[in-house]
């Protein structure tokens, strides 16, 4: 009995590892499962460990880094932001956010934001649950040291 359980457990773990490291989004789409809308822009050959796609017109790239999280990059025509994403229940917490992003991409006004940090909690369904970004705003009102806070939309405030 123990031998059969060990064989079953070994096969099950092997299947899970194969799915995580060899399965693609195309395989997941073939199952007919209902996937969140944000996944529509992700390439068919994307894996759990690394992938590419588009998100709101920007290029999205992620890569598993270590055992606990992913390096994530979002790139627009003349800007780039990067951060560290770690699973948190039914969401992903993105921290260590750096780069430059247009405030118009966030619907937070005109100008650019040079990111100096912050965090966002994004549900697996693609909804932004909470967020706070800190940085230096240029060409906006207010300008200088600012915080951009998510409250059912991004709001720009002086620090």
């Amino acid at each position: 009995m123990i031998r059969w359980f060990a064989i079953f457990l070994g096969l099950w773990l092997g299947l899970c590892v194969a799915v995580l490291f060899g399965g693609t989004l195309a395989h997941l789409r073939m199952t007919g499962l209902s996937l969140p809308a944000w996944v529509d822009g992700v390439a068919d050959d994307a894996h759990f460990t690394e992938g590419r796609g588009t998100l709101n017109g920007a290029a999205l790239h992620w890569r598993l880094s270590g055992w606990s999280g992913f390096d994530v990059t979002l790139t627009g025509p003349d800007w780039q932001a990067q951060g560290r994403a770690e699973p948190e229940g039914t969401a992903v917490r993105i921290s260590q956010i750096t780069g430059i992003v247009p405030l118009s991409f966030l619907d937070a006004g005109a100008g650019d934001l040079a990111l100096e940090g912050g965090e966002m909690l994004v549900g697996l369904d693609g909804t932004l649950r909470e967020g706070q970004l800190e940085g230096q705003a240029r060409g906006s009102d207010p300008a200088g040291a600012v915080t951009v806070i998510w409250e059912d939309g991004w709001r720009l405030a002086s620090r």
Side-chain angles (χ1 to χ4, degrees):
M1 181 70 150
I2 293 175
R3 184 179 313 160
W4 288 107
F5 178 72
I7 291 171
F8 173 77
L9 183 62
L11 290 172
W12 178 253
L13 290 174
L15 178 62
C16 290
V17 168
V19 167
L20 281 176
F21 293 100
T24 65
L25 186 58
H27 293 122
L28 190 57
R29 286 180 174 142
M30 285 190 301
T31 65
L33 292 172
S34 177
L35 300 174
W38 71 268
V39 177
D40 292 344
V42 176
D44 280 340
D45 63 348
H47 294 264
F48 173 76
T49 57
E50 181 177 13
R52 295 183 182 279
T54 59
L55 182 66
N56 295 337
L60 172 67
H61 178 260
W62 71 89
R63 175 179 284 229
L64 184 64
S65 175
W67 289 102
S68 63
F70 300 83
D71 292 329
V72 179
T73 305
L74 194 60
T75 306
D78 56 351
W79 58 272
Q80 183 176 27
Q82 53 274 339
R84 173 92 176 147
E86 297 178 352
E88 189 173 292
T90 60
V92 175
R93 182 163 303 275
I94 303 170
S95 60
Q96 301 175 20
I97 301 171
T98 61
I100 296 179
V101 65
L103 288 168
S104 61
F105 183 76
L106 303 172
D107 290 328
D112 294 318
L113 178 64
L115 296 161
E116 298 171 341
E119 282 192 351
M120 295 187 299
L121 183 64
V122 182
L124 296 180
D125 61 356
T127 59
L128 183 58
R129 297 181 183 173
E130 61 185 59
Q132 180 172 330
L133 304 173
E134 296 178 359
Q136 298 290 322
R138 291 174 282 204
S140 67
D141 184 30
V146 297
T147 300
V148 185
I149 301 168
W150 175 258
E151 295 172 341
D152 292 326
W154 290 104
R155 183 179 56 83
L156 183 65
S158 293
R159 273 195 278 163

